[in-house]
């Protein structure tokens, strides 16, 4: 709800895409990592960049003090 099912990658032009995923900002190591502050919505294209390329995806969502780089 916080991200309104919209990719939170800065500069992403995927607004309005129906297909999004929830990504863990910090790698999931414990149940505590499932807190809302550690989750961000990405479109499939940006999610693929994070996991399958060397490209850096920068995200910022409501409540995040500063942008974070996902690698």
């Amino acid at each position: 709800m916080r991200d309104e099912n919209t990719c939170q990658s800065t500069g992403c032009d995927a607004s309005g895409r129906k297909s999004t995923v929830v990504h863990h900002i910090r790698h999931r190591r414990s149940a505590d990592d499932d807190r809302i502050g550690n989750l961000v919505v990405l479109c499939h294209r940006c999610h693929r960049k994070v996991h399958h390329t060397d490209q850096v995806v920068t995200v910022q969502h409501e409540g995040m003090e500063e942008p974070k780089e996902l690698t």
Side-chain angles (χ1 to χ4, degrees):
M1 290 182 74
R2 177 201 63 213
D3 295 341
E4 298 180 355
N5 206 31
T6 302
C7 184
Q8 298 300 296
S9 174
T10 56
C12 180
D13 61 356
S15 62
R17 287 195 185 161
K18 294 179 182 176
S19 185
T20 57
V21 295
V22 176
H23 176 77
H24 287 85
I25 296 169
R26 288 180 315 280
H27 294 290
R28 191 171 182 214
R29 294 187 182 105
S30 69
D32 196 38
D33 286 335
D34 287 335
R35 291 175 295 169
I36 189 81
N38 189 43
L39 303 174
V40 66
V41 171
L42 297 174
C43 68
H44 280 285
R45 183 177 63 196
C46 290
H47 195 240
R48 210 173 7 263
K49 284 180 188 178
V50 171
H51 288 288
H52 301 291
T53 73
D54 292 333
Q55 295 180 18
V56 175
V57 173
T58 304
V59 297
Q60 187 165 17
H61 60 67
E62 182 182 315
M64 190 181 278
E65 292 180 18
E66 58 187 48
K68 294 197 187 291
E69 292 183 346
L70 306 177
T71 56

